[in-house]
Amino acid sequence: MVFGVHAIESYFIFPQIFATKLKLHPLLVLIALYMTEHIVGIKGLFLALPVTVYITNMIFSVDDAAPLLEDDQTKSDAATIGPI
């Protein structure tokens, strides 16, 4: 009975709560916890979610900044050519 309650809490409720608070998909939470536990060990579980949030924020901020970088490039090209 205790094992069943613990399994439900660990595999369904815990990832759902963290996913809503951290704005991550629940499957990504489970994968991050699983991977860091097997690679680093128990100590890695403390850093699994903060590192995952940091990496996903970096990935999405690069995607959001791509149009900004293109606009800056066209302005810098125009500035280097100078008046004609």
Side-chain angles (χ1 to χ4, degrees):
M1 177 69 179
V2 174
F3 178 73
V5 171
H6 177 68
I8 290 172
E9 187 266 335
S10 295
Y11 292 114
F12 297 109
I13 297 172
F14 177 76
Q16 191 66 31
I17 291 171
F18 271 94
T20 56
K21 294 295 181 185
L22 298 176
K23 297 182 178 103
L24 294 173
H25 194 275
L27 185 61
L28 183 61
V29 172
L30 283 175
I31 291 171
L33 292 172
Y34 179 77
M35 295 287 288
T36 55
E37 195 272 327
H38 281 292
I39 294 171
V40 182
I42 297 295
K43 295 177 184 176
L45 291 175
F46 291 108
L47 294 175
L49 294 179
V51 170
T52 304
V53 169
Y54 179 76
I55 290 171
T56 54
N57 284 340
M58 292 297 291
I59 290 170
F60 290 124
S61 67
V62 169
D63 288 343
D64 293 339
L68 298 174
L69 294 174
E70 291 171 1
D71 291 341
D72 289 340
Q73 177 127 9
T74 57
K75 290 177 186 175
S76 65
D77 289 343
T80 55
I81 294 172
I84 298 177

